[in-house]
Amino acid sequence: DLIKDRHFMPAFEQGMAAAQREVSAIAASTEAATFENTLVALERSGRLLGRVERFFSGLTGTLTNPELQTIQRTLSPLLAAHADAIRLNPALFAKIEFLFQARATLALDAESDRLLWRYHQDFVRAGAKLPQAEQAKLRALNGELATLQTQFSQNVLKERDGAGVFVASREELAGLNPVEI
């Protein structure tokens, strides 16, 4: 009850800025890439943003309002751009690619090997191997897609809310089976 709608944009902005600083530090590190200083560090990055996203998503999925929906529409392309800034970061991907190519010599346990494989797949599928011009197109498409997905989900919610039937008394339910009530 202490968190108000107006708190979300600043929280998201701080969360994205913190995550970007954390990821930029990983990418800019002059140390040789290791599982610990790259993947474990990535796993630990973005915690503030993750907390804000989980809370906001839960709230907008269950108890939304016009102000939260406006925030959601504003945020969706910003979050898409934030994700692109991470997954299309060439210095960061170079570290992941280096580890992926060297994975046979890293003596990773099965879980760590799977994590490395997953990160590599996620970055490649997000466009990390595309030329810069194609990445620019992809960024634009991702922003548009995020906007459209939010618009669609809000339209579905609006229609579902409009499909409800409200009754003022039990008498209006006469004829229904008690199980249906």
Side-chain angles (χ1 to χ4, degrees):
D1 66 335
L2 298 177
I3 299 173
K4 307 298 180 204
D5 295 347
R6 69 180 181 275
H7 296 140
F8 283 108
M9 278 306 292
F12 270 104
E13 289 166 354
Q14 288 178 21
M16 285 188 282
Q20 190 57 52
R21 282 191 306 273
E22 294 161 354
V23 170
S24 292
I26 296 165
S29 173
T30 57
E31 294 179 19
T34 65
F35 184 83
E36 189 72 27
N37 72 14
T38 303
L39 294 184
V40 173
L42 279 172
E43 282 289 295
R44 292 183 176 148
S45 70
R47 290 191 176 183
L48 173 61
L49 180 58
R51 287 176 56 209
V52 174
E53 282 182 309
R54 284 187 298 279
F55 187 85
F56 185 75
S57 177
L59 189 60
T60 57
T62 58
L63 188 63
T64 194
N65 62 51
E67 185 177 356
L68 286 176
Q69 288 182 331
T70 298
I71 293 167
Q72 193 177 30
R73 286 189 301 272
T74 302
L75 277 173
S76 62
L78 298 176
L79 290 170
H82 173 75
D84 284 342
I86 293 169
R87 292 210 171 90
L88 300 177
N89 180 320
L92 181 59
F93 181 66
K95 290 175 181 278
I96 292 169
E97 180 72 18
F98 170 79
L99 292 172
F100 185 74
Q101 295 304 323
R103 70 188 179 280
T105 65
L106 298 178
L108 299 174
D109 60 35
E111 183 180 356
S112 299
D113 187 59
R114 170 74 176 160
L115 183 65
L116 174 56
W117 178 84
R118 181 81 257 158
Y119 265 96
H120 187 265
Q121 284 292 107
D122 287 349
F123 274 66
V124 170
R125 289 178 177 166
K129 287 188 172 186
L130 292 173
Q132 289 296 319
E134 295 298 314
Q135 285 185 6
K137 289 179 189 176
L138 181 62
R139 288 174 194 264
L141 288 170
N142 286 341
E144 183 180 359
L145 183 59
T147 298
L148 291 171
Q149 284 176 324
T150 299
Q151 182 182 3
F152 178 78
S153 68
Q154 288 182 354
N155 287 342
V156 169
L157 180 62
K158 181 180 171 185
E159 289 301 314
R160 289 188 75 198
D161 286 349
V165 177
F166 297 95
V167 293
S169 67
R170 280 190 83 69
E171 289 77 37
E172 292 180 65
L173 302 174
L176 291 176
N177 181 321
V179 174
E180 296 172 320
I181 297 177

